[in-house]
């Protein structure tokens, strides 16, 4: 019995040795190396994808934060008025370039949506400027094109820019939107010619008690 087991063991060993001798180790080693390389590439690609995904998320978050900061800054610029005066308030910590834009009765009757800009000036930080509407309407009539009698002026909104160079519009209903241009060319022309409404002696500038907060 023991002899039989030894014979069987020797036979198995012989078959294993013959298989080992016939096995194409070079070819299978190459295959194995290719499999390992492919796995490494897959791991590297996955790592690159995840890194890119993280970078995109960080970029999107940074963009969202910047837009939030921009809107927070612009939200601190407001306008309001009564029957006699119009007020521009700058509650930000930076000066704000500002210009009213208006429409008149004649254009509204002709369904003409064009507007006339009247340059206000650069409103200092934490300040509000009040301007008599009679002064604003007189300048609007002067700057209207073509030059002809204008009546029934209505404020459409306030175009302004803070230190980020982005133009904004505060509409007369309080809505706030971005502008394609930092400032209108007509208002820039007025800035060069007469210094704007704040240069008028009837404009009153006063400090604001609360600053850095949206109105």
């Amino acid at each position: 019995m023991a002899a039989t087991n030894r014979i069987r063991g020797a036979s198995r060993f012989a078959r294993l040795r013959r298989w080992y001798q016939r096995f194409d180790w070079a070819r299978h080693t190459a295959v194995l190396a290719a499999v390992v390389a492919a796995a490494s590439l897959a791991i590297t690609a996955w790592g690159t994808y995840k890194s890119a995904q993280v970078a995109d998320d960080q970029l999107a978050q940074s963009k969202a934060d910047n837009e939030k900061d921009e809107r927070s800054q612009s939200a601190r610029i407001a306008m309001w008025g009564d029957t006699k005066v119009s007020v521009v308030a700058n509650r930000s910590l930076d000066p704000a370039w500002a210009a009213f834009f208006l429409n008149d009765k004649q254009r509204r009757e002709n369904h003409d949506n064009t507007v006339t800009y009247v340059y206000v000036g650069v409103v200092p930080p934490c300040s509000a400027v009040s301007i008599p509407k009679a002064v604003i309407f007189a300048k609007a009539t002067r700057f209207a094109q073509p030059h002809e009698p204008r009546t029934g002026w209505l404020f459409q909104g306030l175009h302004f820019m803070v230190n980020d160079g982005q133009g904004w519009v505060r509409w007369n209903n309080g809505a706030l939107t971005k502008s394609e241009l930092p400032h209108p060319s007509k208002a820039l022309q007025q800035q060069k010619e007469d210094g704007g409404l704040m240069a008028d002696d009837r404009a009153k500038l006063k400090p604001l008690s609360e600053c850095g907060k949206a109105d």
Side-chain angles (χ1 to χ4, degrees):
M1 185 68 176
T4 302
N5 288 337
R6 284 196 299 272
I7 292 171
R8 289 176 179 173
S11 177
R12 292 194 191 99
F13 179 76
R15 286 197 300 272
L16 179 62
R17 186 172 59 182
R18 287 194 299 272
W19 172 84
Y20 181 84
Q21 291 172 345
R22 290 196 305 268
F23 193 82
D24 189 347
W25 288 103
R27 185 172 60 123
H28 287 81
T29 299
V31 172
L32 180 60
V35 171
V36 171
S40 298
L41 286 174
I43 293 171
T44 300
W46 175 253
T48 302
Y49 167 75
K50 294 303 291 183
S51 297
Q53 191 177 46
V54 170
D56 288 344
D57 291 344
Q58 291 175 340
L59 182 61
Q61 184 61 49
S62 176
K63 183 178 180 181
D65 290 343
N66 288 338
E67 290 181 353
K68 183 178 179 180
D69 290 342
E70 287 179 358
R71 182 162 287 274
S72 175
Q73 175 89 334
S74 61
R76 299 182 180 121
I77 314 297
M79 63 168 284
W80 65 84
D82 55 27
T83 57
K84 294 183 178 180
V85 300
S86 290
V87 179
V88 177
N90 177 13
R91 297 188 185 278
S92 76
L93 300 177
D94 297 295
W97 184 101
F100 292 120
F101 57 98
L102 307 87
N103 202 329
D104 55 74
K105 178 182 177 181
Q106 287 74 24
R107 277 182 281 194
R108 290 193 300 276
E109 288 178 346
N110 293 324
H111 304 288
D112 182 352
N113 293 323
T114 60
V115 296
T116 295
Y117 286 93
V118 180
Y119 176 59
V120 175
V122 178
V123 184
C126 308
S127 302
V129 58
S130 60
I131 307 160
K133 285 189 173 180
V135 175
I136 301 170
F137 295 159
K139 286 213 172 189
T141 300
R142 172 186 165 193
F143 295 131
Q145 296 292 337
H147 294 294
E148 61 182 45
R150 300 282 180 173
T151 58
W153 286 103
L154 285 180
F155 287 91
Q156 302 298 305
L158 179 77
H159 193 120
F160 66 91
M161 180 188 72
V162 287
N163 65 345
D164 60 1
Q166 171 64 53
W168 293 85
V169 172
R170 173 73 73 180
W171 298 92
N172 60 355
N173 63 0
L176 180 67
T177 59
K178 280 187 175 183
S179 170
E180 295 181 358
L181 299 174
H183 28 52
S185 58
K186 293 291 185 182
L188 283 178
Q189 183 179 347
Q190 295 171 32
Q191 180 180 7
K192 295 175 182 178
E193 290 177 357
D194 66 5
L197 292 166
M198 290 180 63
D200 192 290
D201 293 337
R202 290 163 288 184
K204 304 298 181 184
L205 185 68
K206 68 174 185 178
L208 295 172
S209 56
E210 292 186 7
C211 196
K213 295 181 180 181
D215 185 73

